[in-house]
Amino acid sequence: MSLIFAIFTPILIALLIPFLFKRVPKIHTGWFVLIVPVALVSFYATYLPSIMSGSTYIDELPWIPSLGISFISYIDGLSLLFSLLITGIGSLVVLYSIFYLDKKKEKLGNFYVYLLIFMTAMLGVVQSDHLISLYFFWELTSISSFLLIGYWYTRDGSRFGALKSMMITVFGGLMMLGGFLILGILGDTFSIRELIAQTTTLATHDLFVWALVLVLLGAFTKSAQFPFYIWLPDAMEAPTPVSAYLHSATMVKAGLYLVARFTPIFAVSEVWVWLVTGVGIVTLLWGSFFAVKQTDLKAILAFSTVSQLGLIMSLLGIGSIAYHVSGDLVTTYTFATFAAIFHLINHATFKGSLFMIAGIVDHETGTRDIRKLGGLMSLMPVSFTIALIGSLSMAGVPLFNGFLSKEMFLDATLSLQHFNLYAMDTWGILIPIIAWVASVFTFVYSLYFVFHTFRGKYKPEQLPKKAHEAPLGMLVSPGILATLVIVIFFVPNFLGNTFVKPAVVAIQPLTYAVPADVGFTIKAWHGFDSIALYMTLGIFLVGFVLYKLLPKWTAIYQAIPSKLSLNKMYDGLMNFADHGTNRISSLYMTGSIRSYLLYMFAAIIMLLASTLWIKDAFVISFDNLAPIRFFEILISIILVVGTLTILFTKSRLTAIIALGAVGYTVALFFIIFKAPDLALTQLVIETVSVALFLGAFYYLPKLNKHEKGKEDRGFRLGNFIIALGVGVMVTLIAISSHSQKLVPSISQYYKDTVYSEAGGGNIVNVILVDYRGFDTLFEISVLTIASLGIIGMITVRLAKKKGDRKIENK
Amino acid sequence: MKTNDLIIQTTTKVVFFIIFLFSIHIFFAGHYTPGGGFVGGLLMSSAIVLLLLAFDLKTVQEMLPINYTILTAIGLLISLATAAGSIFFNVPFFTHVYDYFYIPLLGETSIHTAMFFDTGVYLVVVGVTMTIIQMIGGDE
């Protein structure tokens, strides 16, 4: 129970935050919040030794037992690593936010509640073994990140960024849900562990690839992969602690987690291998290329995050090749998985610290625009040192952990030569080349980030504030992360053994049983025969030259038309969704009842006529027809003449009288067809309604009010066709339904029992009050309602008139 | 307002009762011959309309001081109560019963609960038609 409880701890503590914020205004609320991640990180750390030895933990809380849905917390190497990242970086971010956010100016209660909800959601995502609860937490991360990005909700940019990230990640989340449901139906279980066990049977199913693509859509949108990365740069409107936490270390890695977690299920498919690798490598290049263009500190970091996530994604893709090869090659490719997890940790350290430094620069100078910054090195020496460490690690320079993971990355891309799908003599050669080019750009933007901010000329006149070093408390968190960057370089294998190997076992369960089996060691020096070494040297050389020549070639960014950018496409899509659909609906929602009647009648004709056609139901049978008598012909002729008079008359009075004539003729029909009750009622009702028509007649406008003196309704071909269609259709249906009676009438029963059972003689009346009195009860209710409605309409109108008069009198 | 309508007023005084009696007849006869609550009610209201035509709204209101809205409500209640009464005898909603009774003046007569229901219908129809006609006629 303790594992499930640990997931929900942050959200439960979040309930207390508003009280603390209101009741204890003197102490920064962040100090209370800080206890939660610190306690959790020490809680999860206690699991480390046994996870390292290869055991796993599971804990279950039934949620909807009748549907088999429960919260299952499954702790293995992968989920423990992520849990430690979430709570560890979370502690540092909370500490940083205490100094970053002002306790008087900011709504801290909101901030920490959202942050704690987010923490629960992330822990839930990485620990859930049940697909539905995984999806539940997944959407909770989308919602809480939406709230956090829009934290300064009075700014347009924040709201725009929040909405954009929400749209894209929820789109992906819903796609992912589809994938989960397919998986759950195929495997007849929603447990990830049980699905892994039956992966070979799953792969034979037709829908398997669909599930794969849908789940990947969820992962790609969350992890800001190409082309869904566009929300991440706009999410930089969030407070910097949020950017550091969500958009560098945790939430954007949820997609990576998902890919890693589902690798044992999906990696048997080649579609998975090339999708994950391909999208990752494209994202890597795209992100690193556009990072150099940015002028906003956080935007550089956002594109850098996109690019680094692409790097990890492609490594995970290469790692899944291990499922397609055998022998020694298996370890060659699982090395890529090892590299991916290692870089994931490294990225969290240096990107977290860089974001915090960007926040410090923003906080202390008042701007994040790199064109206004410069020369801060001597003013902010500590921040500069930390930024330098982070940037050089990001660039992949020795003495920092980024170097190790970059070398491993290059090695992994080179290892693709052993795999048929990416053989070096085909287009597979592109991957190492792209990786190398992207690394060059990474090198360029890393130098650009740190040196354009801290070196060069100090421009105090452009800065809103006078620059000075940040308070100590704000420097603690980035300082710790920067220290880790260096420490990891010197003792990489400690990290490898403790965190990376158990995670690799979780991703590659077929190859390794326990972490001790994973035989990789991380070396800073590979020897002179390593191709990666020369590639790295090339990166440094070309990167340095490009950096020096930066102003000369940035013009190429202007060459790309802005209309083709993905952001413009997104805006266009949203614009279409907003205005386009509005335009479409205003095309047919004309507001004219005439049009709506036209649609309805046309639809009725089409539906019924096509049904008659498809079912071949039209039958004419002359059996069972009564002989036609003289009176019937006579009355019918009167009826037709009356109806035509209504249609073609030019005066309304004539139409009313003709309508009355039609009504009395119908009464005559009732008489000759032996329905005296109906005839009586029809006569009286017709009289009353004609009288009402005549009463209303005086007040009605002329039939054609547009042309004075000419009371002609005009002729509309469309109306004529529709009217003709309805008439013909009803006639056809009447004829065919009369021609093929399937069941005999039940009226014999009434005839037999009207006296014996109901004690009456008039069948019609007995049916009305006895057999089917229920109908009559509600018919008289209808009459009552109609009369009350008329009272309402007339008295309300009278009251209005009186009110108007009162106003006029004044 | 009405100046020279002595003939119609005199005729109405006679004809009203004839129509009224016919309406009652057709109502009671409904169970065995054409007629019933609906037609009966309509005839009754046409008799009152005749009064309205011969005299004016106020005079008729003084002659027959009936609130037709309440009449409608009473009719609806009678119908509903007849239908619901069967519940108390543990039979389904809307079960009718009839029997023969000896009634002074009329002799042996059948009394049918359906007739009570029809009475409700009759009253509702009179109430509704008169409400509508009065409302529209009284409107300026």
Side-chain angles (χ1 to χ4, degrees):
Chain A
M1 209 59 212
S2 59
L3 278 171
I4 294 282
F5 182 71
I7 291 180
F8 286 102
T9 309
I11 210 167
L12 292 175
I13 300 291
L15 294 173
L16 297 175
I17 295 302
F19 295 103
L20 287 171
F21 179 58
K22 286 266 157 66
R23 301 280 164 197
V24 200
K26 280 188 182 168
I27 305 169
H28 196 286
T29 319
W31 290 112
F32 301 109
V33 178
L34 186 59
I35 303 165
V36 182
V38 169
L40 282 175
V41 79
S42 24
F43 170 75
Y44 286 120
T46 57
Y47 285 90
L48 258 182
S50 47
I51 292 293
M52 278 168 70
S53 63
S55 46
T56 55
Y57 291 90
I58 196 153
D59 190 13
E60 186 169 353
L61 175 71
W63 180 14
I64 310 173
S66 57
L67 295 178
I69 297 176
S70 49
F71 292 109
I72 302 176
S73 167
Y74 177 65
I75 293 276
D76 62 356
L78 188 65
S79 47
L80 185 70
L81 166 70
F82 271 92
S83 304
L84 284 169
L85 267 181
I86 291 158
T87 48
I89 306 270
S91 315
L92 296 176
V93 162
V94 170
L95 181 67
Y96 174 78
S97 69
I98 291 171
F99 298 94
Y100 188 85
L101 294 172
D102 193 282
K103 72 178 169 207
K104 280 176 195 138
K105 287 182 202 152
E106 303 284 358
K107 292 190 178 74
L108 287 180
N110 293 2
F111 181 79
Y112 287 113
V113 168
Y114 302 158
L115 200 72
L116 287 171
I117 294 175
F118 174 78
M119 203 178 282
T120 285
M122 271 313 291
L123 287 173
V125 165
V126 300
Q127 292 181 16
S128 283
D129 185 56
H130 196 282
L131 290 179
I132 300 300
S133 70
L134 172 57
Y135 173 72
F136 168 79
F137 287 118
W138 185 272
E139 291 297 29
L140 198 58
T141 63
S142 294
I143 292 165
S144 52
S145 110
F146 168 78
L147 292 169
L148 283 166
I149 296 168
Y151 174 65
W152 285 314
Y153 52 80
T154 48
R155 300 180 187 175
D156 286 340
S158 295
R159 293 201 304 271
F160 177 74
L163 190 64
K164 193 170 179 180
S165 73
M166 178 87 158
M167 292 301 248
I168 294 176
T169 53
V170 168
F171 161 75
L174 286 171
M175 295 294 123
M176 192 185 79
L177 177 65
F180 282 178
L181 292 177
I182 294 176
L183 265 187
I185 291 164
L186 294 190
D188 200 26
T189 172
F190 279 103
S191 160
I192 297 172
R193 284 169 305 126
E194 289 168 25
L195 282 170
I196 289 173
Q198 47 177 309
T199 175
T200 42
T201 48
L202 285 180
T204 56
H205 206 283
D206 295 341
L207 286 173
F208 182 70
V209 175
W210 282 103
L212 185 159
V213 170
L214 289 173
V215 170
L216 270 188
L217 266 178
F220 287 164
T221 49
K222 199 71 153 187
S223 273
Q225 297 297 297
F226 185 86
F228 307 110
Y229 71 90
I230 49 172
W231 65 267
L232 188 64
D234 283 312
M236 290 302 126
E237 291 297 325
T240 306
V242 174
S243 310
Y245 189 37
L246 274 68
H247 307 128
S248 75
T250 53
M251 187 176 88
V252 288
K253 290 188 174 143
L256 298 177
Y257 166 80
L258 201 73
V259 168
R261 182 53 88 199
F262 282 85
T263 294
I265 299 176
F266 288 129
V268 290
S269 164
E270 286 189 352
V271 181
W272 172 269
V273 175
W274 65 256
L275 257 184
V276 176
T277 318
V279 170
I281 210 91
V282 168
T283 313
L284 166 67
L285 181 66
W286 191 277
S288 63
F289 179 65
F290 282 99
V292 189
K293 182 195 176 188
Q294 308 305 318
T295 51
D296 179 61
L297 280 188
K298 282 171 85 175
I300 300 175
L301 292 176
F303 275 95
S304 145
T305 305
V306 169
S307 145
Q308 303 275 320
L309 293 169
L311 189 157
I312 302 171
M313 191 66 87
S314 63
L315 278 176
L316 286 172
I318 297 172
S320 59
I321 296 177
Y323 286 84
H324 294 268
V325 291
S326 55
D328 287 344
L329 284 179
V330 172
T331 42
T332 313
Y333 289 110
T334 46
F335 179 71
T337 309
F338 185 80
I341 300 296
F342 186 61
H343 189 68
L344 192 144
I345 302 169
N346 292 345
H347 178 251
T349 58
F350 65 71
K351 192 54 61 66
S353 71
L354 284 178
F355 264 112
M356 290 177 189
I357 292 299
I360 288 173
V361 170
D362 184 18
H363 208 262
E364 306 308 335
T365 64
T367 183
R368 295 196 314 245
D369 193 331
I370 203 160
R371 288 166 298 188
K372 295 179 184 169
L373 295 165
L376 297 176
M377 191 170 80
S378 52
L379 293 163
M380 306 168 76
V382 184
S383 309
F384 170 66
T385 316
I386 296 169
L388 191 67
I389 294 170
S391 300
L392 292 182
S393 173
M394 184 157 74
V397 173
L399 291 182
F400 309 103
N401 59 6
F403 170 73
L404 301 171
S405 38
K406 184 62 66 65
E407 290 268 277
M408 289 161 75
F409 170 57
L410 294 173
D411 272 339
T413 55
L414 287 172
S415 69
L416 282 174
Q417 57 186 310
H418 306 296
F419 183 53
N420 286 334
L421 199 63
Y422 290 119
M424 283 294 158
D425 50 350
T426 61
W427 56 274
I429 189 79
L430 275 175
I431 290 181
I433 292 175
I434 292 176
W436 185 81
V437 173
S439 303
V440 171
F441 281 110
T442 307
F443 190 82
V444 174
Y445 73 68
S446 300
L447 296 191
Y448 169 65
F449 174 79
V450 67
F451 289 126
H452 272 68
T453 312
F454 289 98
R455 291 201 57 193
K457 226 177 83 194
Y458 178 50
K459 296 166 236 175
E461 71 285 351
Q462 291 197 10
L463 298 180
K465 285 185 191 171
K466 202 178 171 314
H468 57 82
E469 187 56 273
L472 185 65
M474 218 188 252
L475 288 169
V476 170
S477 300
I480 292 173
L481 287 171
T483 318
L484 279 175
V485 167
I486 298 178
V487 168
I488 290 173
F489 177 79
F490 287 105
V491 284
N493 287 311
F494 171 72
L495 188 81
N497 291 334
T498 321
F499 299 106
V500 183
K501 284 182 182 174
V504 171
V505 171
I507 303 172
Q508 309 275 1
L510 294 182
T511 320
Y512 305 108
V514 288
D517 295 349
V518 187
F520 304 118
T521 51
I522 306 158
K523 286 177 290 191
W525 180 247
H526 293 264
F528 285 110
D529 56 342
S530 151
I531 308 171
L533 175 74
Y534 298 107
M535 285 174 87
T536 310
L537 287 177
I539 289 168
F540 292 163
L541 197 71
V542 179
F544 193 71
V545 172
L546 275 182
Y547 170 69
K548 279 291 166 195
L549 299 175
L550 198 56
K552 302 240 162 69
W553 59 271
T554 39
I556 63 160
Y557 290 111
Q558 313 304 325
I560 303 162
S562 65
K563 268 200 170 174
L564 283 177
S565 81
L566 289 164
N567 279 316
K568 279 279 181 315
M569 285 184 195
Y570 170 85
D571 291 344
L573 194 69
M574 286 294 126
N575 197 33
F576 173 75
D578 233 29
H579 298 105
T581 49
N582 191 17
R583 216 173 298 146
I584 290 171
S585 48
S586 61
L587 271 182
Y588 64 91
M589 302 283 282
T590 53
S592 150
I593 292 178
R594 198 190 293 269
S595 328
Y596 300 151
L597 284 175
L598 219 61
Y599 305 152
M600 284 194 271
F601 284 128
I604 292 172
I605 294 171
M606 277 191 286
L607 282 176
L608 291 182
S610 55
T611 313
L612 266 185
W613 175 261
I614 292 165
K615 294 275 176 190
D616 200 18
F618 182 65
V619 180
I620 300 183
S621 139
F622 291 103
D623 307 339
N624 203 14
L625 287 186
I628 303 169
R629 288 171 297 171
F630 171 68
F631 274 120
E632 288 154 17
I633 298 174
L634 191 69
I635 298 172
S636 302
I637 290 171
I638 298 172
L639 204 63
V640 171
V641 170
T643 315
L644 290 177
T645 315
I646 300 171
L647 282 179
F648 293 109
T649 183
K650 296 191 174 177
S651 115
R652 202 185 286 274
L653 192 60
T654 319
I656 293 170
I657 291 168
L659 187 66
V662 168
Y664 290 129
T665 326
V666 170
L668 282 180
F669 258 120
F670 286 143
I671 290 172
I672 64 167
F673 286 131
K674 303 189 185 75
D677 292 271
L678 288 181
L680 268 174
T681 317
Q682 172 70 20
L683 273 176
V684 188
I685 284 290
E686 193 58 40
T687 312
V688 171
S689 52
V690 167
L692 284 176
F693 267 127
L694 288 173
F697 158 73
Y698 181 76
Y699 300 96
L700 290 176
K702 300 203 163 172
L703 280 177
N704 190 337
K705 55 184 170 187
H706 300 297
E707 286 171 64
K708 274 179 189 170
K710 191 190 167 202
E711 284 197 344
D712 191 357
R713 274 162 292 179
F715 179 76
R716 282 194 182 82
L717 188 67
N719 291 3
F720 175 72
I721 292 171
I722 295 276
L724 198 69
V726 172
V728 168
M729 186 203 65
V730 171
T731 313
L732 283 181
I733 290 179
I735 291 174
S736 23
S737 64
H738 182 267
S739 303
Q740 37 190 340
K741 273 187 182 157
L742 297 178
V743 274
S745 165
I746 57 162
S747 54
Q748 192 56 43
Y749 169 78
Y750 293 135
K751 277 186 204 162
D752 294 343
T753 58
V754 66
Y755 189 77
S756 58
E757 296 276 330
N762 178 355
I763 295 184
V764 175
N765 200 46
V766 171
I767 288 176
L768 282 180
V769 298
D770 197 343
Y771 292 121
R772 299 211 175 171
F774 216 176
D775 292 349
T776 313
L777 183 61
F778 285 100
E779 271 152 25
I780 58 177
S781 311
V782 167
L783 284 177
T784 314
I785 292 166
S787 75
L788 293 179
I790 285 169
I791 294 177
M793 282 198 297
I794 287 175
T795 48
V796 165
R797 214 190 62 201
L798 285 178
K800 238 189 207 167
K801 268 189 188 164
K802 274 175 194 162
D804 289 347
R805 263 178 221 150
K806 266 180 199 167
I807 294 164
E808 277 167 23
N809 287 343
K810 276 175 188 173
Chain B
M1 208 172 126
K2 299 197 186 280
T3 46
N4 200 8
D5 39 15
L6 185 68
I7 295 174
I8 189 170
Q9 285 183 354
T10 317
T11 326
T12 303
K13 284 172 192 164
V14 181
V15 171
F16 172 78
F17 289 101
I18 297 171
I19 303 178
F20 175 66
L21 283 176
F22 183 54
S23 135
I24 298 291
H25 164 76
I26 223 167
F27 165 68
F28 278 113
H31 219 58
Y32 293 95
T33 52
F38 199 82
V39 185
L42 279 177
L43 279 173
M44 180 64 214
S45 41
S46 59
I48 304 173
V49 169
L50 188 62
L51 279 183
L52 281 173
L53 290 176
F55 303 93
D56 62 70
L57 215 61
K58 250 183 206 165
T59 324
V60 176
Q61 193 61 44
E62 277 165 21
M63 288 180 203
L64 300 166
I66 303 167
N67 184 336
Y68 292 106
T69 330
I70 292 176
L71 191 73
T72 313
I74 292 171
L76 208 54
L77 268 179
I78 291 175
S79 296
L80 191 63
T82 317
S86 59
I87 301 175
F88 297 104
F89 299 98
N90 237 355
V91 284
F93 187 65
F94 240 116
T95 311
H96 285 307
V97 285
Y98 68 97
D99 208 346
Y100 294 90
F101 297 95
Y102 183 81
I103 296 169
L105 287 177
L106 296 174
E108 175 110 345
T109 314
S110 76
I111 301 273
H112 197 305
T113 47
M115 204 196 68
F116 298 121
F117 181 74
D118 229 11
T119 314
V121 175
Y122 184 93
L123 294 179
V124 168
V125 171
V126 173
V128 165
T129 25
M130 288 323 293
T131 313
I132 293 172
I133 287 166
Q134 268 192 349
M135 276 324 285
I136 293 176
D139 183 28
E140 288 157 21

